[in-house]
Amino acid sequence: MSFDLLEECGEAKRIGIAGHVRPDGDCVGACLGLWQYLVKCLPGTETKVFLEKPADIFNGIKGVGEICSDFPEEPPFDVFFVLDTSTDRLGGAEKYFKAAGKTVNIDHHVSNAGGGQVNIIRPDMGSTCEMIYDLLDTQRLDRDMAMALYVGIIHDTGVFQYSNTTPETLEKGAKLIGYGFDFPNLILETFYQKTYVQAQVMGRALMESIRFLGGCCIVSSIDRKTMDFYNVEPKDLDGIVNQLRNIRGIDCAIFMYETGVLEYKVSMRSSEKVNVAQVAAYFGGGGHAKAAGCNMTGTFHDCVNNLSLHIENELKKWETEHDERNNSH
Ligand code: AMP
Ligand code: MN
Ligand code: MN
């Protein structure tokens, strides 16, 4: 890759970094990993990160306290990095992207058509943090940066478990834990551990889940009233959709939560039979083949019916391809 992070920054006096709304582990890790790297390598440059407030589980990552979450007015940035997202999901940081002298988009979403002046889009990569690792000079890596990037890699690969994990992912993971941070605890606290209310809400979502399309798909939702009752925020609902997908016989799992009147945030996870990035794209969303999301309007049943049609198409497509392959053997 003929791309040098520091060269791209040139003589920049001010650099901005942003990721997507509702930042996940990969987004937070990539933004803070890159921020730490630029602060270390370009000490005369002012570098700022703009993100919605990350979940408390990420508080151990160096630089969390420096994140600007109130999106104040700022003079234009000379260089602006957009990480782990296309440029349409920046939320309050969009204005900095629009005003910046130069924009660089680094992402691994298959749905990203590349909205920066410089675009590095690698759908073959399991996480943006893995891409950042490849793009920086590993001689300058230190324990704090390694920890930030490791968080992103474990979150987007389900702790090296999803099919986006490659031998190279594991090699990078091995190098990163060599920096000596407490990785077992980091995995436990940021990935597996849930608060009591999170576990209760998850329990409710599992209990009230409904199977459809002959039992190979499952859906569950949490409404605003329930979120208020348990006093949970959207970030407390992470992990529910994965739990639904882990049920034997399920090819596609959907989890939805109410974001407004007749408005839902939809998360989808699937096996190889359903390309959920395609399904999400029909509704203006995106993501990866096996993990994608979108926002939808309508009643719960409207949303499920609309999604169901597209999921069924994906299942039929897979069966046709599968039959053709079987017949040709
Ligand atoms: P989530 O279900 O929110 O965990 O998201 C699953 C994957 O799809 C992540 O990689 C997200 O970045 C992506 N994604 C979720 N919602 C959207 C959306 N509305 N537009 C584009 N990508 C999305
Ligand atoms: Mn992300
Ligand atoms: Mn990611």
Side-chain angles (χ1 to χ4, degrees), residues 151-172:
V151 167
I153 294 177
I154 58 167
H155 276 251
D156 267 21
T157 61
V159 194
F160 306 106
Q161 175 208 128
Y162 306 151
S163 56
N164 57 6
T165 305
T166 63
E168 291 74 29
T169 316
L170 291 168
E171 278 165 20
K172 284 166 218 173

Side-chain angles (χ1 to χ4, degrees), residues 69-275:
S69 299
D70 51 357
F71 308 107
E73 290 308 316
E74 291 271 352
F77 288 94
D78 300 314
V79 181
F80 199 78
F81 287 92
V82 172
L83 306 184
D84 195 41
T85 182
S86 41
T87 55
D88 56 351
R89 284 209 301 149
L90 289 170
E94 191 175 77
K95 59 183 181 225
Y96 312 126
F97 165 75
K98 285 189 166 154
K102 175 178 183 176
T103 55
V104 182
N105 189 188
I106 303 174
D107 187 24
H108 66 128
H109 287 88
V110 66
S111 49
N112 189 341
Q117 288 160 17
V118 178
N119 298 293
I120 309 179
I121 314 296
R122 293 280 304 272
D124 57 317
M125 288 279 179
S127 58
T128 302
C129 281
E130 214 184 311
M131 297 177 68
I132 299 287
Y133 179 95
D134 285 342
L135 293 170
L136 47 75
D137 174 3
T138 49
Q139 302 284 329
R140 312 292 299 264
L141 257 181
D142 59 33
R143 186 179 166 280
D144 291 323
M145 276 180 227
M147 178 175 151
L149 298 180
Y150 189 80
V151 167
I153 294 177
I154 58 167
H155 276 251
D156 267 21
T157 61
V159 194
F160 306 106
Q161 175 208 128
Y162 306 151
S163 56
N164 57 6
T165 305
T166 63
E168 291 74 29
T169 316
L170 291 168
E171 278 165 20
K172 284 166 218 173
K175 296 243 174 65
L176 291 173
I177 64 169
Y179 285 88
F181 53 86
D182 183 356
F183 74 89
N185 218 29
L186 194 62
I187 294 172
L188 178 68
E189 288 181 356
T190 72
F191 193 79
Y192 289 110
Q193 226 166 41
K194 300 278 169 223
T195 62
Y196 181 57
V197 282
Q198 283 171 337
Q200 281 187 309
V201 174
M202 182 183 289
R204 233 181 121 139
L206 298 179
M207 196 166 67
E208 291 170 3
S209 62
I210 304 163
R211 287 186 296 174
F212 62 102
L213 286 178
C216 73
C217 298
I218 194 161
V219 62
S220 192
S221 74
I222 294 285
D223 60 18
R224 197 64 253 170
K225 229 171 56 201
T226 309
M227 288 175 72
D228 290 344
F229 177 78
Y230 288 101
N231 195 20
V232 290
E233 294 178 56
K235 56 192 167 202
D236 295 311
L237 308 174
D238 283 353
I240 295 178
V241 69
N242 286 331
Q243 207 58 46
L244 290 168
R245 198 262 318 271
N246 284 344
I247 297 168
R248 185 167 296 157
I250 294 299
D251 290 317
C252 184
I254 304 171
F255 175 69
M256 314 173 23
Y257 66 83
E258 217 179 352
T259 51
V261 181
L262 297 181
E263 276 178 16
Y264 287 93
K265 164 73 176 76
V266 176
S267 284
M268 291 181 278
R269 300 291 184 272
S270 68
S271 65
E272 60 176 322
K273 291 190 191 173
V274 178
N275 182 338

Side-chain angles (χ1 to χ4, degrees), residues 262-323:
L262 297 181
E263 276 178 16
Y264 287 93
K265 164 73 176 76
V266 176
S267 284
M268 291 181 278
R269 300 291 184 272
S270 68
S271 65
E272 60 176 322
K273 291 190 191 173
V274 178
N275 182 338
V276 284
Q278 289 276 350
V279 178
Y282 281 109
F283 302 102
H288 313 282
K290 294 182 182 175
C294 56
N295 295 293
M296 292 180 80
T297 50
T299 64
F300 169 77
H301 285 103
D302 288 341
C303 295
V304 176
N305 283 338
N306 288 331
L307 290 165
S308 176
L309 283 175
H310 292 282
I311 293 169
E312 199 174 4
N313 280 343
E314 287 294 312
L315 285 165
K316 281 186 188 148
K317 227 165 45 187
W318 184 86
E319 268 153 29
T320 312
E321 282 163 17
H322 209 68
D323 281 350

Side-chain angles (χ1 to χ4, degrees), residues 32-81:
L32 292 179
L34 178 62
W35 174 80
Q36 290 179 39
Y37 182 70
L38 296 179
V39 166
K40 184 175 187 177
C41 298
L42 305 172
T45 304
E46 185 190 10
T47 304
K48 287 189 171 180
V49 179
F50 300 94
L51 276 181
E52 287 177 3
K53 192 183 175 314
D56 292 344
I57 49 171
F58 301 119
N59 283 352
I61 304 176
K62 184 179 170 187
V64 168
E66 307 286 327
I67 293 174
C68 284
S69 299
D70 51 357
F71 308 107
E73 290 308 316
E74 291 271 352
F77 288 94
D78 300 314
V79 181
F80 199 78
F81 287 92

